[in-house]
Structures are given as structure tokens and as C-alpha cells.
Amino acid sequence: MPGSTASQDGLLLLMQQQQQFEEQIQQLQGQIEELRHELQVMKDAERERYLDLDTRINTLAEQSKTEQPEESADSAAPNDPEADRDAYSAAKDKLIKRDFDAAAEAFEGYLNDFPNGQFRAHAHFWLGKVYSNLKHPEAGEGPGPVPGSGRRLPGTQ
């Protein structure tokens, strides 16, 4: 009977392992269920944030549309994106050729012609770079008002 005892011990060991595996499976299934719930909560929160942001953007867009006719009535600037791009490109070409005086004039002209142009920020940046590269700025004499803003550069009268 010693073989019978060994096989019973082996069977008992297998049953204990099977019970441990079943407990582990139940534990893992519980973790999966918790993670699914947590994921669903996060998805719902993300959707709420998205809808809130979308509502805010739409509100701003509607406000912009209602304010836009007033602005366009006040400014006689062209609204042609191709002309806008061409004017900016021409000014930048002068800058690339290192013709700083002509580039400054061209960027000022661009900002006057397209005060709300799509390259306005770039034009202001490059205009500042052009002014910093001019070799002989006259003391006390600044470039005047910032084109397209109605403001003067700091340190100018």
C-alpha cells in the first residue's frame, strides 16, 4: 500500500494546487472587474471634459462670428488669403536676401495691409529681427508705431 499512499498524496497535492489556482483566478477576475469599472469612470469623465470643451469652443466661435462683421466694417484690409501669403512671402524673400531696409518696409506694408493676416505674428517677429540687424539706427528715432496695432515700440516717442 505504500504506492497507494503516494498516489493519494499526489492527488491531494494536485487538488490543493487546483484550489489555489481557482482562488487566483477569482482574485484576478475581481481585479479585472475593478479595472473595467475604473476605465469606464475615466471614459465618462473624459467625455464630460470633451463635451465641456466643445461647448466652450462653439460659444467662442459664435461670439467671434457676431463680432467679426463689426471688425470687417472698420477695417478696409483685404481678406484674400492668397494675397496675404504673397505679401508675406515677398517680405520674407527680401529678408532672406539680407536687404534689411526693403524687408522692414515690406513687413511694415504687410502689417498695414493685413492687420489680421495669417502671418501677422511672424511678420512682427521678423520685423523685430530686421530692426535689430539695421546697422545705423538713429538715436532717439524709433520705427514709430507698431504696424497694425496702433501702439508704439517701447522707448519711442
Side-chain angles (χ1 to χ4, degrees), residues 104-117:
E105 255 183 63
F107 281 120
E108 288 173 357
Y110 170 81
L111 290 168
N112 286 330
D113 293 345
F114 300 95
N116 296 322

Side-chain angles (χ1 to χ4, degrees), residues 65-132:
K65 287 180 183 177
T66 59
E67 294 172 4
Q68 194 173 14
E70 296 170 9
E71 291 174 5
S72 63
D74 291 344
S75 73
N79 204 13
D80 181 14
E82 196 170 312
D84 182 350
R85 181 177 293 116
D86 291 343
Y88 175 76
S89 294
K92 193 159 181 195
D93 287 343
K94 291 176 182 168
L95 176 69
I96 290 170
K97 293 177 184 172
R98 303 187 64 79
D99 185 359
F100 296 123
D101 291 324
E105 255 183 63
F107 281 120
E108 288 173 357
Y110 170 81
L111 290 168
N112 286 330
D113 293 345
F114 300 95
N116 296 322
Q118 59 184 338
F119 302 105
R120 183 181 76 213
H122 296 288
H124 278 291
F125 172 80
W126 288 118
L127 187 58
K129 284 293 196 182
V130 166
Y131 287 142
S132 71

Side-chain angles (χ1 to χ4, degrees), residues 10 12 29-30 32-34 47 54-55 62 80 93 101-102 120-121 125 129 144 149:
L12 186 60
Q29 285 175 337
I32 289 172
E33 196 59 36
E34 287 175 7
R47 179 158 175 75
D54 187 51
T55 303
E62 288 175 14
D80 181 14
D93 287 343
D101 291 324
R120 183 181 76 213
F125 172 80
K129 284 293 196 182
S149 73

